[in-house]
Amino acid sequence: MQMCAPVRHPSWVSSRRLFEQKLSELQKCTNLSHVKQVHAQILKANLHQDFYAAPKLVAAFSLCRQLALAVNVFDQVQHPNAHLYNTLIRAQIQNSQTSQAFFTFFNMQGNGVCPDNFTYSFLLKACSGKSWLPVVQMIHTHIEKYGFCSDIFVPNSLIDSYSKCGPLGITSAKKLFTVMDERDIVSWNSMIGGLVKAGGLVEARRLFDEMPERDAFSWNTMLDGYAKAGEMIEAFELFEKMPERNVVSWSTMVSGYSKAGDMDMARMLFDKMPVKNLVPWTVIISGYAERGLANEASIFYDQMEEAGLKPDDGTIISILAACAESGLLGLGKKVHASIERTRFKCSTQVSNALVDMYAKCGSLDKAFAVFDGIAKKDSVSWNAMLQGLGVHGHGKKALQLFARMKQEGFFPDKVTFIGVLCACTHAGLVEEGLHYFHTMEIEYGIVPEVEHYGCVIDLLGRGGRLDEAFRLVHSMPMEPNCVIWGTLLGACRVHNAVELAGEVLDQLVKLAPSDPGSFSLLSNIYAAAGDWDGVANVRLRMRSTGVQKPSGASSIEVDNAVHEFTVFDESHPQSEKIYQMIGRLVQNLKQVGYVPKVHS
DNA sequence: GTAGGGTTAG
């Protein structure tokens, strides 16, 4: 143990032992006043420069989310060693001050303290999931210079970080994996995980088969690869072969079937699971909710609570997102009530999910109420609310919220502008939309991406300015994708631009030859123009390419049950009454002067 | 250091 000022004194020795015990107790302590108390005692004993005490205090303050206090402890130490620097770096990363962590890293070297394997592991962890390939490469260069690849932890973290940097990263990861002179089971597992994430399932399986030995991570990683790709036959085969299955293996299977839309299999496996935690409950409830099966989702939610499991942020966010997607306002409200019953306050992320759920379900007042109650709003909160107003046609209100967002010191991001442009489109504010599009880069430093072009093309197209929309598509700095062409095709249909529509379809077929939506849209355009040869032609092309259009459906939730309808549908038990009501509504509409558009 | 559920995006 390193000491700054060695003092040999019997009473000191005993007080030191006492402090060591107190400090080791701080490891999981999130009670700030307790940490402050220990800190005060350390200061009183003049042990704040101690190389054992200081890192413990930095870590404890970090755990209490008090980064400033952690930095303060660090600053009190005159000559920090690598351990203390590492602890500060980790504290900064834990409190999402990643750039500060890198600043500390450079400071450390400036002060002549050599980074070690811990330093690199922490920094690499900070890069994970961020696609910071240049940063990972920089760290890699450092590591090569200092030779820490001899510690197997370091190259393993590098493989993992590279794997999370997209296709270029996976190439670097593979290169590193090949030249490693020693590999342990984690090296193999990380490499397989990287390949799976990059979509290289076959390659991942080859590596999996080549492994000298496999552990639960290896099996579960491979299993998840198949499950995420929707290859449930392969997944099931592997699942059957597994020597041991844990809760992760079972959850992966339940999730895979749920994502593939096979709720029966998901349910069967869920019922067979020997041990369940929050994850499989989340998966099964969200799975039902995503499919609009409000009753099942609701029953399982009750069962989860009855089983004594208290939903965490992940569970709540996942279920609310599913409710938002399928419009399950009833279940969303129930989850909201359950949060209010069981929680003192909820996190920004949970509130954001609530705002989004209420907004998507059309309860804009409730969305606003939750939004206004968020003490620490983030950009997601603003974007969700803005989007909610926008898509429901409250363009002016959305733009007012955008102004308020700036007033309150928040910086708009690329998602904000999608919301703003979308709001303009739905409220017919073409000029305003164009203004925001043209100023987003100059005034806000946000370079328009293909999604923004999509919004503006929609804005122009719906506004009847098809020529301008076409010119924009041709002058875009990136290749138009099928979303762009699809938007344009939709605009052609609204404005009966038959010739343009033909051109657009050619582009669409090149990009997505099997998408039935575009064919039927074109067919409708020809039909609207009375061009029956055109219609026949499209039908022929559809048949020759084997494309079939599934019929569209509308759904509505009444008393926790979702009712689905397709065109000319008579399957609903109350079908007769429903059509009677439609008839009455049409009569009423006609009386107030509505003329239905019958030719398309 | 590696595996399962997670808010905003036409």
Side-chain angles (χ1 to χ4, degrees):
Chain A
M1 195 154 304
Q2 287 169 291
M3 290 300 306
C4 273
V7 184
R8 293 173 219 291
H9 194 280
S11 75
W12 181 86
V13 172
S14 67
S15 78
R16 181 177 171 86
R17 240 179 240 135
L18 189 72
F19 279 128
E20 276 184 17
Q21 198 197 333
K22 278 189 180 172
L23 286 163
S24 68
E25 280 167 10
L26 286 185
Q27 294 210 335
K28 307 182 278 273
C29 173
T30 50
N31 180 344
L32 181 58
S33 57
H34 183 220
V35 181
K36 279 184 171 167
Q37 215 174 14
V38 178
H39 185 206
Q41 289 167 341
I42 294 279
L43 280 170
K44 217 167 153 190
N46 205 22
L47 280 171
H48 60 281
Q49 297 251 351
D50 186 284
F51 281 143
Y52 178 80
K56 291 266 190 253
L57 282 168
V58 170
F61 278 129
S62 166
L63 201 63
C64 299
R65 308 220 133 262
Q66 296 294 325
L67 189 56
L69 294 174
V71 173
N72 180 42
V73 173
F74 178 89
D75 286 341
Q76 297 291 311
V77 182
Q78 276 168 353
H79 301 291
N81 61 4
H83 181 196
L84 189 54
Y85 269 111
N86 289 343
T87 315
L88 180 64
I89 288 172
R90 188 172 52 179
Q92 287 166 326
I93 291 165
Q94 278 169 346
N95 288 276
S96 32
Q97 300 295 314
T98 317
S99 49
Q100 290 294 318
F102 278 95
F103 185 72
T104 308
F105 170 63
F106 292 123
N107 245 345
M108 172 178 191
Q109 291 166 88
N111 292 333
V113 179
C114 243
D116 61 15
N117 41 349
F118 285 95
T119 322
Y120 295 123
S121 295
F122 294 159
L123 290 176
L124 285 169
K125 183 127 208 191
C127 308
S128 81
K130 291 205 170 76
S131 280
W132 286 351
L133 186 57
V135 181
V136 180
Q137 281 166 335
M138 180 207 74
I139 299 170
H140 191 179
T141 314
H142 270 266
I143 291 167
E144 298 237 298
K145 205 166 107 192
Y146 291 109
F148 276 108
C149 270
S150 56
D151 177 353
I152 192 90
F153 271 62
V154 175
N156 285 354
S157 315
L158 265 175
I159 288 177
D160 183 53
S161 303
Y162 269 132
S163 300
K164 287 167 181 159
C165 289
L168 278 174
I170 197 74
T171 312
S172 304
K174 270 155 62 176
K175 220 185 269 172
L176 180 60
F177 183 77
T178 323
V179 300
M180 280 170 72
D181 29 52
E182 195 195 323
R183 298 182 195 124
D184 68 359
I185 200 159
V186 179
S187 331
W188 286 87
N189 290 345
S190 302
M191 192 64 243
I192 289 171
L195 288 169
V196 160
K197 202 160 275 147
L201 260 185
V202 178
E203 210 179 339
R205 180 57 189 263
R206 204 168 54 229
L207 228 55
F208 176 83
D209 289 334
E210 275 174 25
M211 282 181 82
E213 50 169 350
R214 301 176 194 96
D215 64 5
F217 284 87
S218 332
W219 286 94
N220 288 340
T221 305
M222 201 60 238
L223 200 64
D224 189 48
Y226 287 126
K228 286 240 160 71
E231 296 189 16
M232 291 316 290
I233 296 170
E234 296 277 7
F236 193 80
E237 260 176 40
L238 202 70
F239 184 69
E240 295 257 270
K241 277 190 203 149
M242 286 179 76
E244 267 170 25
R245 305 179 189 105
N246 61 17
V247 63
V248 177
S249 332
W250 286 92
S251 305
T252 306
M253 291 302 288
V254 176
S255 169
Y257 281 117
S258 168
K259 290 242 158 66
D262 189 346
M263 288 314 290
D264 291 340
M265 272 303 272
R267 168 75 191 271
M268 210 180 80
L269 284 157
F270 178 84
D271 287 340
K272 279 182 104 169
M273 281 183 78
V275 182
K276 297 182 186 81
N277 61 16
L278 273 179
V279 176
W281 281 102
T282 307
V283 172
I284 202 85
I285 298 167
S286 312
Y288 280 126
E290 243 165 72
R291 259 145 213 92
L293 299 164
N295 265 331
E296 285 84 347
S298 190
I299 290 165
F300 273 83
Y301 189 83
D302 292 338
Q303 282 180 5
M304 175 180 71
E305 291 198 317
E306 279 160 24
L309 283 151
K310 191 173 167 265
D312 66 1
D313 279 18
T315 304
I316 289 167
I317 291 168
S318 176
I319 298 172
L320 288 175
C323 292
E325 196 178 316
S326 332
L328 300 187
L329 182 59
L331 181 59
K333 277 182 176 167
K334 180 195 186 114
V335 173
H336 190 185
S338 145
I339 300 170
E340 298 208 309
R341 259 203 323 276
T342 54
R343 293 188 172 205
F344 188 58
K345 58 178 179 198
C346 62
S347 68
T348 300
Q349 285 136 299
V350 165
S351 304
N352 291 348
L354 278 169
V355 171
D356 183 51
M357 183 276 295
Y358 279 125
K360 289 231 173 81
C361 292
S363 274
L364 286 172
D365 293 345
K366 286 230 167 61
F368 234 121
V370 177
F371 173 79
D372 275 330
I374 307 178
K376 280 193 169 178
K377 296 184 184 61
D378 63 10
S379 58
V380 176
S381 329
W382 290 96
N383 293 347
M385 194 62 239
L386 201 118
Q387 188 92 30
L389 289 169
V391 297
H392 286 96
H394 303 287
K396 287 263 158 65
K397 278 192 190 161
L399 295 180
Q400 276 165 14
L401 194 75
F402 178 60
R404 198 182 128 195
M405 173 181 184
K406 288 183 287 181
Q407 264 168 21
E408 294 190 20
F410 287 88
F411 292 100
D413 61 17
K414 57 182 187 176
V415 183
T416 315
F417 278 98
I418 290 171
V420 168
L421 294 171
C422 180
C424 293
T425 303
H426 286 266
L429 305 167
V430 183
E431 289 308 324
E432 284 88 338
L434 287 173
H435 166 76
Y436 285 115
F437 179 65
H438 289 131
T439 52
M440 59 185 277
E441 187 170 356
I442 313 158
E443 276 188 35
Y444 304 93
I446 294 154
V447 183
E449 292 178 18
V450 68
E451 290 86 354
H452 300 103
Y453 280 92
C455 292
V456 178
I457 286 153
D458 198 25
L459 180 79
L460 289 167
R462 285 187 203 230
R465 291 155 72 163
L466 277 173
D467 291 342
E468 281 169 78
F470 255 86
R471 256 181 277 143
L472 190 60
V473 172
H474 289 299
S475 66
M476 278 167 60
M478 66 284 280
E479 275 306 302
N481 58 18
C482 46
V483 175
I484 299 279
W485 292 115
T487 308
L488 213 44
L489 192 60
C492 290
R493 169 169 147 75
V494 175
H495 298 285
N496 295 323
V498 185
E499 262 178 54
L500 287 179
E503 275 177 50
V504 176
L505 189 80
D506 289 337
Q507 299 289 343
L508 261 175
V509 171
K510 267 188 223 159
L511 287 170
S514 56
D515 179 29
S518 30
F519 281 103
S520 69
L521 211 50
L522 185 69
S523 159
N524 287 343
I525 293 169
Y526 283 133
D531 181 350
W532 303 111
D533 286 345
V535 174
N537 247 323
V538 176
R539 293 278 152 86
L540 268 177
R541 272 178 80 175
M542 281 177 85
R543 204 174 305 161
S544 68
T545 46
V547 174
Q548 275 189 340
K549 168 95 172 87
S551 51
S554 306
S555 59
I556 186 166
E557 184 201 324
V558 180
D559 295 334
N560 270 334
V562 172
H563 306 262
E564 198 174 79
F565 304 93
T566 54
V567 82
F568 300 130
D569 192 351
E570 290 180 7
S571 62
H572 195 275
Q574 301 199 55
S575 191
E576 205 172 311
K577 273 189 169 174
I578 292 169
Y579 279 105
Q580 275 173 9
M581 181 54 92
I582 293 174
R584 284 226 299 278
L585 283 171
V586 170
Q587 281 303 314
N588 288 343
L589 281 166
K590 278 184 183 158
Q591 275 168 10
V592 296
Y594 172 76
V595 185
K597 190 174 166 189
V598 288
H599 63 272
S600 58

